[in-house]
Coordinates of all heavy atoms in Angstrom, one line a residue:
R1 N -21.0 -40.7 14.5 CA -22.1 -39.8 14.6 C -23.1 -40.3 15.5 O -23.8 -39.8 16.5 CB -22.8 -39.5 13.3 CG -23.9 -38.6 13.3 CD -24.6 -38.4 12.0 NE -25.2 -39.8 11.5 CZ -26.2 -40.4 11.9 NH1 -27.0 -39.7 12.7 NH2 -26.6 -41.5 11.5
R2 N -23.5 -41.7 15.4 CA -24.6 -42.3 16.1 C -24.2 -42.7 17.4 O -25.0 -42.6 18.5 CB -25.0 -43.7 15.4 CG -25.7 -43.3 14.1 CD -26.2 -44.7 13.4 NE -25.0 -45.4 12.8 CZ -24.7 -46.6 13.4 NH1 -25.3 -47.1 14.3 NH2 -23.6 -47.3 12.8
H3 N -23.0 -43.1 17.8 CA -22.6 -43.6 19.0 C -21.6 -42.6 19.9 O -21.6 -42.9 21.1 CB -21.8 -44.9 18.9 CG -22.6 -46.1 18.3 ND1 -23.6 -46.7 19.0 CD2 -22.7 -46.5 17.0 CE1 -24.2 -47.6 18.2 NE2 -23.7 -47.5 17.1
H4 N -21.1 -41.7 19.3 CA -20.3 -40.7 20.0 C -20.6 -39.3 19.9 O -19.8 -38.4 20.2 CB -18.8 -41.0 19.7 CG -18.3 -42.4 20.1 ND1 -18.0 -42.7 21.4 CD2 -18.2 -43.7 19.4 CE1 -17.5 -44.0 21.4 NE2 -17.7 -44.5 20.2
G5 N -21.7 -39.0 19.2 CA -22.2 -37.7 19.2 C -21.3 -36.7 18.2 O -21.5 -35.5 18.3
F6 N -20.7 -37.2 17.3 CA -19.9 -36.4 16.3 C -20.9 -35.9 15.3 O -21.9 -36.4 14.9 CB -18.8 -37.3 15.5 CG -17.6 -37.4 16.3 CD1 -17.5 -38.4 17.3 CD2 -16.5 -36.7 16.1 CE1 -16.3 -38.5 18.1 CE2 -15.2 -36.8 16.7 CZ -15.2 -37.8 17.8
E7 N -20.6 -34.8 14.8 CA -21.2 -34.0 13.6 C -20.4 -34.3 12.4 O -19.2 -34.2 12.5 CB -21.5 -32.5 13.9 CG -22.2 -31.9 12.7 CD -22.3 -30.4 12.9 OE1 -21.9 -30.0 14.0 OE2 -22.6 -29.6 11.9
V8 N -21.0 -34.7 11.3 CA -20.2 -35.1 10.1 C -20.6 -34.1 8.9 O -21.7 -33.9 8.6 CB -20.5 -36.5 9.7 CG1 -19.6 -36.8 8.4 CG2 -20.2 -37.5 10.7
T9 N -19.6 -33.4 8.4 CA -19.8 -32.6 7.2 C -19.3 -33.4 6.0 O -18.2 -33.8 5.9 CB -19.1 -31.3 7.3 OG1 -19.6 -30.4 8.4 CG2 -19.2 -30.5 6.0
L10 N -20.3 -33.6 5.0 CA -20.0 -34.2 3.8 C -19.7 -33.1 2.8 O -20.6 -32.4 2.2 CB -21.0 -35.0 3.3 CG -21.3 -36.4 4.0 CD1 -22.5 -37.1 3.5 CD2 -19.9 -37.2 4.0
L11 N -18.6 -32.9 2.5 CA -18.0 -31.6 1.6 C -18.3 -32.1 0.1 O -17.7 -33.2 -0.4 CB -16.5 -31.6 1.7 CG -15.9 -30.4 1.1 CD1 -16.3 -29.1 1.6 CD2 -14.4 -30.6 1.2
P12 N -19.0 -31.4 -0.6 CA -19.5 -31.7 -1.9 C -18.3 -31.5 -2.9 O -17.3 -30.9 -2.6 CB -20.5 -30.5 -2.4 CG -20.9 -29.9 -1.0 CD -19.7 -30.1 0.0
V13 N -18.4 -32.4 -3.9 CA -17.3 -32.5 -4.9 C -17.9 -32.0 -6.3 O -19.1 -32.0 -6.4 CB -16.8 -33.9 -5.1 CG1 -16.0 -34.3 -3.9 CG2 -17.8 -34.9 -5.5
D14 N -17.0 -31.6 -7.2 CA -17.6 -31.1 -8.5 C -18.0 -32.3 -9.4 O -17.8 -33.6 -9.0 CB -16.7 -30.3 -9.2 CG -15.4 -30.9 -9.7 OD1 -15.3 -32.0 -9.8 OD2 -14.3 -30.1 -10.0
G15 N -18.4 -32.0 -10.6 CA -18.8 -33.2 -11.5 C -17.7 -34.1 -11.8 O -18.2 -35.2 -12.4
T16 N -16.4 -33.9 -11.5 CA -15.4 -34.7 -12.0 C -14.9 -35.4 -10.7 O -14.1 -36.4 -10.8 CB -14.2 -34.1 -12.5 OG1 -13.6 -33.2 -11.6 CG2 -14.7 -33.2 -13.7
G17 N -15.5 -35.1 -9.5 CA -15.1 -35.8 -8.2 C -14.2 -35.1 -7.5 O -13.6 -35.6 -6.4
L18 N -13.7 -33.8 -7.9 CA -12.6 -33.1 -7.3 C -13.1 -32.3 -6.0 O -14.3 -31.8 -6.2 CB -11.9 -32.1 -8.2 CG -10.7 -32.7 -9.1 CD1 -10.4 -31.8 -10.1 CD2 -9.7 -33.4 -8.4
V19 N -12.4 -32.2 -5.0 CA -12.7 -31.3 -3.8 C -12.0 -29.9 -4.2 O -10.8 -29.9 -4.5 CB -12.0 -31.9 -2.5 CG1 -12.2 -31.0 -1.5 CG2 -12.8 -33.3 -2.1
D20 N -12.7 -28.9 -3.9 CA -12.2 -27.5 -4.0 C -11.7 -27.2 -2.7 O -12.3 -27.2 -1.6 CB -13.4 -26.6 -4.2 CG -13.0 -25.1 -4.5 OD1 -11.9 -24.9 -4.1 OD2 -13.8 -24.4 -4.8
P21 N -10.3 -26.8 -2.7 CA -9.6 -26.5 -1.5 C -10.2 -25.3 -0.7 O -10.1 -25.4 0.6 CB -8.2 -26.0 -2.0 CG -8.0 -26.9 -3.2 CD -9.4 -26.9 -3.8
E22 N -10.8 -24.4 -1.4 CA -11.4 -23.2 -0.6 C -12.6 -23.7 0.1 O -12.9 -23.3 1.1 CB -11.7 -22.2 -1.7 CG -10.6 -21.4 -2.3 CD -10.8 -20.2 -3.1 OE1 -12.1 -19.8 -3.3 OE2 -10.0 -19.7 -3.8
R23 N -13.4 -24.6 -0.6 CA -14.6 -25.1 0.2 C -14.2 -26.0 1.3 O -14.8 -26.0 2.3 CB -15.5 -25.9 -0.8 CG -16.0 -25.1 -1.9 CD -17.2 -25.8 -2.8 NE -18.3 -26.0 -2.0 CZ -19.5 -26.4 -2.5 NH1 -19.5 -26.6 -3.9 NH2 -20.7 -26.6 -1.9
F24 N -13.0 -26.7 1.2 CA -12.5 -27.6 2.2 C -12.2 -26.6 3.4 O -12.4 -26.9 4.6 CB -11.4 -28.3 1.7 CG -10.7 -29.2 2.7 CD1 -11.4 -30.1 3.5 CD2 -9.3 -29.0 2.9 CE1 -10.6 -30.9 4.5 CE2 -8.6 -30.1 3.9 CZ -9.3 -30.7 4.7
A25 N -11.4 -25.5 3.1 CA -11.0 -24.6 4.1 C -12.2 -24.1 4.9 O -12.2 -23.9 6.2 CB -10.2 -23.5 3.6
A26 N -13.3 -23.7 4.2 CA -14.5 -23.1 4.8 C -15.1 -24.1 5.7 O -16.0 -23.8 6.5 CB -15.4 -22.7 3.7
A27 N -15.1 -25.4 5.4 CA -15.7 -26.5 6.2 C -15.0 -26.7 7.5 O -15.7 -27.4 8.4 CB -15.8 -27.7 5.3
L28 N -13.8 -26.5 7.6 CA -13.0 -26.7 8.8 C -13.4 -25.7 9.9 O -13.4 -24.6 9.7 CB -11.5 -26.8 8.7 CG -11.0 -27.7 7.5 CD1 -9.5 -27.5 7.2 CD2 -11.4 -29.2 7.8

């Protein structure tokens, strides 16, 4: 991000630490 101009999306996890596949798909 700092040196090559990338944008970074931090995908939220639920209270147990799991990633929601639907939210992952929406972030791509």
